[in-house]
């Protein structure tokens, strides 16, 4: 069974440029998560989708970040414009259901460097 | 609100020695607790989780953890460390109406010396 796929794996951009990350969850998983992981820290949830609906986006900085999950499968996370402080690893995860006990499976992440 | 504290950002053990990684949590609702491992340039992989029932939980690669409500702890152990155990370990908590929102600790880097 294929795991969570993320692309690109690495991205280097100049500040004020836009950037987008893509995530393909495990087939059949209804819930999708985007996490932000700063260097030396644990991941922090940015947004959680149940199918196409964003059910928790309270930690998403909506002035510059946006996300979508069309058709309830793939998802894209966008930053526009990027700032120096956005340099981090962006992790995507998926789970079969929405319950707190459901195991979340993580992708390898996209490492963003903003110059 | 929920939170996790991992004591020790870096732990070093010799190969064959006991591994003990400490995790304390805070939760106003019955917690669900998780340990994840992260190898360099990889995503997080679930080692084990506690939801309900037996408080001693066994996971993959010989790891286990015990939920102690009175101590609000969920420490991770392995009787004998192997070189391949060197990685970053994260403890996480969720529960109540948080749905799948995992609250992670800051992580503990485990080094294993030959």
């Amino acid at each position: 069974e294929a795991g969570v796929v993320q692309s690109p794996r690495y991205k280097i951009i100049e500040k004020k440029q836009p950037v987008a990350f893509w995530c393909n969850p495990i087939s059949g998983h209804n819930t999708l998560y985007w996490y932000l992981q700063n260097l030396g820290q644990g991941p922090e949830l940015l947004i959680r989708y149940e199918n196409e609906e964003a059910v928790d986006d309270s930690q998403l900085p909506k002035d510059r970040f946006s996300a979508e999950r069309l058709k309830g499968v793939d998802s894209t996370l966008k930053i526009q414009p990027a700032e120096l402080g956005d340099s981090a690893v962006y992790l995507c995860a998926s789970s079969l259901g929405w319950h707190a006990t459901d195991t979340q499976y993580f992708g390898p992440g996209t490492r963003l460097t903003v110059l | 609100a929920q939170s996790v504290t991992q004591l020790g950002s870096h732990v070093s053990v010799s190969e064959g020695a006991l591994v003990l990684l400490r995790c304390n949590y805070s939760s106003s609702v019955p917690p669900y607790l998780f340990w994840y491992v992260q190898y360099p340039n990889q995503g997080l992989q679930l080692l084990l989780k506690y939801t309900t029932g037996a408080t001693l939980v066994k996971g993959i690669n010989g790891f286990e953890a015990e939920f102690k409500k009175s101590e609000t702890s969920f420490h991770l152990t392995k009787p004998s460390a192997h070189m391949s155990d060197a990685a970053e370990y994260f403890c996480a908590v969720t529960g109540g109406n948080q749905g799948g929102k995992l609250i992670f600790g800051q992580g503990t880097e485990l080094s294993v010396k030959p």
Side-chain angles (χ1 to χ4, degrees), chain A residues 9-10 33 35 37 40-45 48 56 58-59 91 98-108 111, chain B residues 32 34 36 38 41-46 49 51 90 94-107:
Chain A
R9 291 293 313 276
Y10 305 91
Y33 314 78
Y35 286 88
Q37 186 176 22
Q41 301 292 321
E44 300 172 32
L45 182 70
R48 174 167 64 98
D56 184 356
S58 58
Q59 302 301 311
L91 295 166
W98 55 267
H99 195 270
T101 59
D102 287 327
T103 297
Q104 295 183 30
Y105 296 85
F106 285 78
R111 182 178 297 275
Chain B
Y32 302 130
F34 304 76
Y36 280 86
Q38 185 175 33
N41 297 316
Q42 296 187 28
L44 283 71
Q45 178 184 8
L46 181 71
K49 64 181 177 181
T51 55
F90 293 95
T94 188
N97 62 356
Q98 292 295 312
K101 181 177 181 177
L102 289 171
I103 306 298
F104 285 88
Q106 75 275 26

Side-chain angles (χ1 to χ4, degrees), chain A residues 2 7 13 23 29 32 35 44 55 59 61 64 76 80 87 90 92 97 105 112:
Chain A
S7 69
I13 61 171
C23 173
H29 280 198
L32 184 145
Y35 286 88
E44 300 172 32
V55 297
Q59 302 301 311
R64 297 184 300 106
T76 303
Q80 183 172 9
S87 294
Y90 293 82
C92 180
Y105 296 85
L112 174 66

Side-chain angles (χ1 to χ4, degrees), chain A residues 1 25-27 38 42 45 50 56 58 60 65 68 72 75-76 93-94 96 98 102-103 107 114:
Chain A
E1 177 182 275
I26 292 173
S27 178
N38 286 306
L45 182 70
E50 290 177 15
D56 184 356
S58 58
L60 190 73
F65 286 65
E68 60 181 12
S75 178
T76 303
S94 69
L96 187 60
W98 55 267
D102 287 327
T103 297
V114 182

Side-chain angles (χ1 to χ4, degrees), chain B residues 39-81:
Chain B
Y39 298 99
N41 297 316
Q42 296 187 28
L44 283 71
Q45 178 184 8
L46 181 71
L47 280 175
L48 49 79
K49 64 181 177 181
Y50 168 78
T51 55
T52 58
T55 56
L56 181 62
V57 181
K58 295 186 183 299
I60 62 172
N61 301 337
F63 285 94
E64 63 182 36
E66 186 171 11
F67 170 59
K68 292 187 176 181
K69 183 179 179 180
S70 61
E71 298 178 8
T72 61
S73 70
F74 190 57
H75 300 331
L76 181 71
T77 61
K78 181 174 180 177
S80 177

Side-chain angles (χ1 to χ4, degrees), chain A residues 3-69:
Chain A
V4 176
V5 178
Q6 291 188 247
S7 69
R9 291 293 313 276
Y10 305 91
K11 189 73 175 180
I12 300 173
I13 61 171
E14 300 276 338
K15 64 180 180 181
K16 301 185 181 180
Q17 293 300 305
V19 64
F21 314 125
W22 175 80
C23 173
N24 180 242
I26 292 173
S27 178
H29 280 198
N30 298 314
T31 308
L32 184 145
Y33 314 78
W34 282 102
Y35 286 88
L36 167 67
Q37 186 176 22
N38 286 306
L39 186 64
Q41 301 292 321
E44 300 172 32
L45 182 70
L46 288 173
I47 189 168
R48 174 167 64 98
Y49 282 93
E50 290 177 15
N51 297 307
E52 297 106 340
E53 182 181 2
V55 297
D56 184 356
D57 63 356
S58 58
Q59 302 301 311
L60 190 73
K62 298 180 183 64
D63 57 336
R64 297 184 300 106
F65 286 65
S66 65
E68 60 181 12
R69 191 185 185 197

